[in-house]
Amino acid sequence: MSSIASSKAHAYYGASYADLEAQDPEIAAILQSELERERHGLQLIASENFTSPAVLAALGSTLSNKYAEGYPGKRYYGGCEEVDKAETIGIERAKKLFGAEHANLQPHSGASANIAVYQAFTKPGDTVLAMSLPHGGHLTHGSKVNFSGKWFNVESYGVREDNELIDYDELRDLAIKHKPKMICSGATAYPSLIDFKVVRDICDEAGAIMWVDAAHFIGLVAGKAIPSPVPYADVVSFTTHKVLRGPRGGMILSKAEHAAAIDKSIFPGMQGGPIMSAVAAKAVNLKECATPEYQNYAKTVIINAQALAAALVDEGMRAVSGGTQTHLALIDVRALGVTGKEADERCGAAGITLNKNSIPYDPLAPSITSGIRVGTPSVTTQGMGTKEMKSIASLISRAITKPESAKAISAEVAQLCEAFPVYPEN
Ligand SMILES: *Cc1c(COP(=O)(O)O)cnc(C)c1O
């Protein structure tokens, strides 16, 4: 304990690893093995990334100790001078980066941000229109096992069967028929762009709040690689740990007229004290996102996703909606004679981490599925490019069709990953 209070280095994560190792070797060893896992396997989960050492430093800092219920300058606890500065800097950076009128950095997660959005604009029993789960919507968009489906009347829209793109005519018809309080756009497995101007028009016609759940693609917006929903939406909620590459957490942007409702909904509405180490880490991430390097990253993520989807098609698979305009692709694997579950398991055995995923109008159950979802945020952070995407497609194809070669393939996977080191030692 004696060394912890004194050294400046102990305000940060890295230097305190030795303390952890001495005090709790069991957990320290797990941290080390996880780092090795991230280094030696291919991380293709579309919602994951490798956040920066600077973000990890803020996350592992003594700001974790501080209670700060309330907002900067209006706290319910003393001693908030330092954390107030961090949160204020973060809010200003978020507003500037996204051109938003209001920002709240306190949501603990994407789901927490969404609970706050429901609470700010609706009452239990109200009707909300959101993307259907089997077509890519999130659990918090009305799943029967989630608060959203239990407490609200959630109607769903989906994609057209012929082109697997959002059916805006159906969306308009449903909006006029059900008169929802709020319309949600955004998904977890939709590879195409959303036309926010059309959604705004539909919301205006139906008198609905326009809510965009941008969890997946907000990083591409931050990097100016795709159009932003911020000018159109009343409220935009998102996670900070996906393409955005910040700490695990959530954030909400809104028009100024909704600022008080959003802030009250987070605290005291559904959270207590914010996790100030995470709030500071969000500020660090937002500074990174404003750089030309990050903008280049966001564009490369999309180029890589398009190259990966095209290469998987060359390997005999089918890309849902013909490809991707974002960081992820949804791949129908049935032509290789496997289900999504089998493809997921066989890739896992070969050191390739991805997830099974329903495809639109999937004839198989959500626990089996006909597809896989692949994303390029992590491999792009590692520095891989289109040449490596071709190699990855070939590795995926061999892992699926030659499960008996899993060991040999995983050695090739490790070799590829070691050429693009994650968190290099120096
Ligand atoms: C990831 C995601 C969420 C949930 O985020 P958590 O931080 O896991 O709670 C919500 N909505 C969408 C669209 C997502 O992709």
Side-chain angles (χ1 to χ4, degrees):
M1 274 308 283
S2 58
S3 65
I4 288 178
S6 55
S7 165
K8 190 174 172 189
H10 286 304
Y12 307 109
Y13 164 84
S16 57
Y17 183 78
D19 292 336
L20 176 64
E21 211 173 14
Q23 191 182 314
D24 191 338
E26 206 179 352
I27 293 296
I30 293 169
L31 266 58
Q32 194 58 41
S33 321
E34 171 59 15
L35 177 58
E36 295 306 318
R37 188 194 69 80
E38 293 182 18
R39 278 180 172 156
H40 300 304
L42 268 171
Q43 311 304 330
L44 296 175
I45 303 233
S47 48
E48 290 184 355
N49 212 331
F50 301 118
T51 195
S52 71
V55 167
L56 289 178
L59 265 185
S61 71
T62 52
L63 270 67
S64 177
N65 298 331
K66 191 70 199 94
Y67 242 114
E69 284 182 353
Y71 291 97
K74 293 169 286 187
R75 305 284 191 187
Y76 290 80
Y77 287 87
C80 288
E81 308 80 51
E82 300 306 323
V83 292
D84 270 10
K85 288 183 218 161
E87 186 166 356
T88 303
I89 290 171
I91 290 169
E92 290 312 315
R93 285 180 185 168
K95 285 161 69 176
K96 183 150 184 259
L97 180 67
F98 295 107
E101 293 173 9
H102 179 67
N104 186 311
L105 272 58
Q106 294 192 5
H108 299 331
S109 68
S112 301
N114 290 354
I115 295 172
V117 169
Y118 279 94
Q119 183 175 241
F121 296 107
T122 60
K123 293 204 165 38
D126 280 350
T127 298
V128 173
L129 184 55
M131 184 117 167
S132 132
L133 266 62
H135 290 195
H138 187 255
L139 277 172
T140 54
H141 300 172
S143 161
K144 287 291 168 223
V145 296
N146 183 262
F147 81 92
S148 55
K150 291 180 184 173
W151 300 345
F152 299 91
N153 171 40
V154 183
E155 300 288 345
S156 301
Y157 62 90
V159 300
R160 288 172 58 103
E161 196 159 7
D162 55 1
N163 61 11
E164 297 167 311
L165 298 173
I166 290 174
D167 188 340
Y168 294 100
D169 295 331
E170 180 202 34
L171 177 54
R172 177 177 283 105
D173 291 346
L174 291 169
I176 286 162
K177 179 173 165 207
H178 296 294
K179 287 260 166 267
K181 270 269 175 62
M182 190 160 74
I183 297 177
C184 173
S185 28
T188 64
Y190 186 65
S192 301
L193 299 180
I194 298 168
D195 191 333
F196 298 115
K197 187 176 181 316
V198 170
V199 176
R200 176 77 256 176
D201 289 344
I202 294 171
C203 287
D204 287 343
E205 245 180 275
I209 290 284
M210 178 174 170
W211 165 33
V212 177
D213 181 351
H216 256 275
F217 58 81
I218 195 69
L220 304 177
V221 173
K224 303 197 185 323
I226 63 168
S228 173
V230 172
Y232 300 103
D234 291 288
V235 60
V236 180
S237 63
F238 53 89
T239 50
T240 47
H241 49 270
K242 296 179 182 173
V243 188
L244 195 67
R245 210 163 62 182
R248 188 154 293 276
M251 204 182 293
I252 302 177
L253 307 173
S254 78
K255 297 282 186 242
E257 65 184 290
H258 305 307
I262 290 294
D263 285 356
K264 266 198 288 191
S265 187
I266 286 286
F267 175 83
M270 46 77 60
Q271 284 187 181
I275 302 170
M276 290 313 301
S277 47
V279 170
K282 288 170 196 174
V284 171
N285 169 237
L286 290 163
K287 182 173 181 182
E288 293 170 348
C289 289
T291 60
E293 289 75 18
Y294 184 85
Q295 290 180 11
N296 185 47
Y297 165 71
K299 288 179 184 81
T300 309
V301 164
I302 299 177
I303 292 167
N304 279 346
Q306 288 170 337
L308 179 58
L312 290 168
V313 169
D314 288 343
E315 296 286 341
M317 292 166 247
R318 186 181 77 87
V320 165
S321 73
T324 178
Q325 298 172 294
T326 65
H327 61 296
L328 69 86
L330 204 49
I331 304 295
D332 179 346
V333 293
R334 288 174 297 182
L336 299 186
V338 293
T339 63
K341 181 168 185 279
E342 285 164 337
D344 178 343
E345 286 165 359
R346 290 179 187 188
C347 286
I352 304 168
T353 306
L354 45 74
N355 62 279
K356 64 173 184 276
N357 212 107
S358 295
I359 58 170
Y361 303 94
D362 201 322
L364 300 178
S367 56
I368 310 289
T369 80
S370 300
I372 54 173
R373 187 184 69 162
V374 292
T376 52
S378 297
V379 290
T380 307
T381 293
Q382 274 173 281
M384 293 189 196
T386 50
K387 181 166 154 271
E388 286 74 33
M389 296 307 117
K390 287 207 182 80
S391 310
I392 292 173
S394 156
L395 290 163
I396 291 174
S397 171
R398 284 163 52 210
I400 293 175
T401 55
K402 299 190 179 66
E404 67 284 359
S405 310
K407 205 154 167 257
I409 298 167
S410 70
E412 284 182 56
V413 164
Q415 203 177 14
L416 171 62
C417 293
E418 281 152 25
F420 295 88
V422 172
Y423 303 113
E425 299 293 341
N426 42 51

